[in-house]
Amino acid sequence: MNANTVGPSMSQKIFSMDLSVEAVSLYLLCCAVADTGSGITKETLAEKWNSSRAALERELRRLEEKNILGRDGTENNAIYQILDVKKWL
């Protein structure tokens, strides 16, 4: 979970952003991982993601482009954070 967040990390705004079903699903998965206190990494997401690895990586990039997710580290060793909804594009 984000250090500055209290309570669930999910924002209803995700449903009004005209994103693909896969992007919204990945966001919800990221929220679930964050809410358990685990780090959001490609590995933790891939364990539960029910589509291809290519789709996972594509949707991660899309969520980054929209400032929904931020990334620390290199692409191969990244830890993602859910950014404040005020930063979303």
Side-chain angles (χ1 to χ4, degrees):
M1 183 183 303
N2 293 336
N4 299 327
T5 302
V6 175
S9 55
M10 199 222 27
S11 171
Q12 294 290 322
K13 182 177 179 180
I14 196 72
F15 299 111
S16 63
M17 295 184 64
D18 294 324
L19 294 170
S20 68
V21 170
E22 284 184 318
V24 173
S25 295
L26 180 56
Y27 168 76
L28 295 173
L29 179 57
C30 289
C31 291
V33 169
D35 288 345
T36 66
S38 298
I40 303 171
T41 65
K42 286 182 184 178
E43 290 72 33
T44 59
L45 296 171
E47 292 173 5
K48 298 182 180 2
W49 183 248
N50 62 1
S51 189
S52 69
R53 182 71 178 221
L56 172 64
E57 293 183 10
R58 180 186 66 236
E59 299 308 326
L60 280 169
R61 282 190 304 275
R62 183 164 292 137
L63 293 177
E64 282 185 89
E65 290 167 358
K66 294 288 189 179
N67 280 349
I68 296 168
L69 292 181
R71 174 176 35 141
D72 286 333
T74 64
E75 182 149 349
N76 292 331
N77 196 18
I79 298 175
Y80 296 90
Q81 303 84 35
I82 300 167
L83 299 178
D84 189 296
V85 71
K86 294 173 189 162
K87 296 181 180 182
W88 294 8
L89 304 176

